[in-house]
Amino acid sequence: MSDHPSRGGDSFPETAPRTAEHYKQAGKSQNTEKAYSQAVDHYRDECHGKLPASEEMIEDYIAKCAQHYSVSTIKLRLAGLSNWHTKHGFPDLTKAKSVKAVLRGISKTHNKPQSQALPVAFDHLQQMVRQQELLMLEARAKGDIGAYKRGSRDVALLLIGFWRGFRSDELSRLEVQHITVYKGSHLDIYLPYSKTDGDAAGRSFTATALKALCPVQAYCRWVEDAGIAKGPVFRAIDRWGNFAEKGITGKSIGPILNGMAEAAGINNVHYSTHSLRRGFAKWAADSGWDVHSTMEYVGWKNYENAKRYIPPRHSFGVLALDNTMSSLSRSSVPTALDATTVVAEGANHRDN
């Protein structure tokens, strides 16, 4: 017999119990927690494990870091130490005036422009998709199911990632049950949480159908080829065409992009996990989108963050000696490739 009186309709349904601690852990950003943990581990290695830290110890630590690491990395290390001290009930001396003074001096002495991901250029996007389509035709002719499905997956990943300006972790967390298809119109994509959604309120995104390089068509083909009805959209595929149960990681997206670029004969580029996001921002600026529209579409809430991705539009008109530097050319989506042309090109590719 229960120790608690029955409350009729107010009683909880019988489900597997989950504690408050479980939900606390679920609410944390895995990437942030990992970065904080690595920061504390690095401090322990450099300062012989002495925690909690005094102001002098923190000052000496960041001075030593300044010889080897960027200012942004040092700030991340300080954030990890700050988190450790707060979590364990110690004073957070990373914000002491003397520590801030040392950090300011490091910034003045060692500051450099932040390295940025190389954007996927629109003409490179076209080349990469075109080449993957040809390779898929070739793989289908050979009966190479694994190669065909990888091509189908990679085209969908490339086009959804580019046209939605998704971060790599957002792409890796897309799930089929959270995507509604309106063929010939758009995709409704729901993400339960994202980097800038601290309260995990969730957000819906729309991916619009296009005349060419269409993310809706690419997605529909991929889920049909894969036979996926639930779970991660993008998964690892073995040589026989079998799928992993879990989704790909955000870190694997850079190598996938570079593999497609290499296959398309695009040399001397190195794409990273942010290249799709930066590529779309550049395309939007080239196509005349204003900053407000681009920020709202991609999901940037802070202009300071957005301007790192959106190239400025400074025009000196007819006075400019180099028009390519003074104004950005307008790009347009080409009309769809004729199917017979693609087949013919596939045959020529195999003959060569």
Side-chain angles (χ1 to χ4, degrees):
M1 186 173 180
S2 173
D3 294 332
H4 301 283
S6 172
R7 296 194 240 179
D10 292 339
S11 61
F12 292 112
E14 291 294 328
T15 57
R18 290 186 174 179
T19 64
E21 184 59 30
H22 168 86
Y23 290 111
K24 284 181 183 178
Q25 295 301 319
K28 293 180 178 179
S29 166
Q30 294 182 353
N31 289 339
T32 300
E33 290 298 311
K34 182 178 179 181
Y36 285 170
S37 177
Q38 290 174 342
V40 173
D41 288 343
H42 186 265
Y43 173 85
R44 288 184 189 276
D45 291 341
E46 294 295 327
C47 299
H48 310 291
K50 295 179 180 178
L51 282 170
S54 66
E55 287 183 38
E56 292 76 11
M57 292 164 65
I58 296 173
E59 291 168 19
D60 290 342
Y61 170 65
I62 62 176
K64 187 184 295 185
C65 285
Q67 311 306 312
H68 307 284
Y69 301 103
S70 67
V71 175
S72 60
T73 298
I74 295 172
K75 288 180 178 179
L76 179 59
R77 297 266 165 81
L78 283 175
L81 288 176
S82 172
N83 177 262
W84 185 94
H85 283 81
T86 302
K87 186 164 62 175
H88 291 85
F90 295 107
D92 180 11
L93 299 179
T94 64
K95 296 179 175 62
K97 287 184 178 180
S98 60
V99 174
K100 288 183 176 181
V102 175
L103 183 61
R104 187 162 52 249
I106 292 172
S107 297
K108 287 183 176 181
T109 306
H110 297 289
N111 241 341
K112 297 177 182 178
Q114 285 189 343
S115 59
Q116 294 185 325
L118 179 70
V120 173
F122 184 74
D123 60 335
H124 286 178
L125 180 78
Q126 292 175 298
Q127 292 176 50
M128 291 158 72
V129 171
R130 191 184 189 93
Q131 181 61 22
Q132 287 302 309
E133 295 289 345
L134 294 175
L135 292 175
M136 288 170 65
L137 283 172
E138 194 172 82
R140 174 175 277 178
K142 292 179 179 178
D144 189 342
I145 296 174
Y148 174 84
K149 288 185 176 180
R150 273 191 297 277
S152 180
R153 178 201 65 185
D154 292 351
V155 169
L157 183 148
L158 176 62
L159 292 179
I160 292 175
F162 182 89
W163 290 120
R164 272 305 338 173
F166 277 145
R167 298 180 181 88
S168 57
D169 71 297
E170 292 169 340
L171 265 178
S172 67
R173 289 189 290 103
L174 293 181
E175 298 206 350
V176 178
Q177 67 271 24
H178 291 156
I179 299 178
T180 305
V181 179
Y182 297 88
K183 286 191 175 181
S185 176
H186 65 280
L187 301 175
D188 274 348
I189 303 172
Y190 177 74
L191 276 172
Y193 66 94
S194 60
K195 183 178 179 180
T196 57
D197 180 17
D199 295 329
R203 183 182 173 190
S204 294
F205 299 84
T206 297
T208 302
L210 304 171
K211 291 181 179 179
L213 305 172
C214 178
V216 179
Q217 182 181 353
Y219 172 81
C220 291
R221 179 178 65 183
W222 161 238
V223 293
E224 183 177 341
D225 289 339
I228 300 173
K230 187 178 181 181
V233 173
F234 300 117
R235 312 176 186 202
I237 307 170
D238 66 21
R239 60 183 298 185
W240 299 280
N242 300 313
F243 306 107
E245 289 297 319
K246 295 182 178 180
I248 60 174
T249 65
K251 289 183 178 180
S252 66
I253 292 176
I256 290 174
L257 295 179
N258 288 316
M260 283 191 279
E262 183 179 354
I266 301 170
N267 301 315
N268 301 318
V269 299
H270 180 73
Y271 293 131
S272 71
T273 54
H274 268 58
S275 291
L276 292 172
R277 196 170 177 83
R278 288 205 72 215
F280 174 79
K282 185 181 185 308
W283 176 89
D286 289 356
S287 300
W289 288 37
D290 59 60
V291 173
H292 175 76
S293 298
T294 305
M295 287 179 63
E296 189 279 332
Y297 183 83
V298 173
W300 285 309
K301 296 181 179 180
N302 187 315
Y303 175 73
E304 290 301 313
N305 290 333
K307 74 178 185 180
R308 294 191 295 116
Y309 292 85
I310 303 172
R313 299 176 62 83
H314 300 149
S315 176
F316 292 90
V318 296
L319 291 177
L321 287 174
D322 184 357
N323 287 323
T324 62
M325 293 297 291
S326 63
S327 62
L328 296 170
S329 61
R330 300 175 73 87
S331 301
S332 59
V333 178
T335 56
L337 290 171
D338 182 74
T340 57
T341 303
V342 174
V343 172
E345 289 180 352
N348 291 336
H349 178 75
R350 290 194 296 274
D351 292 341
N352 294 333

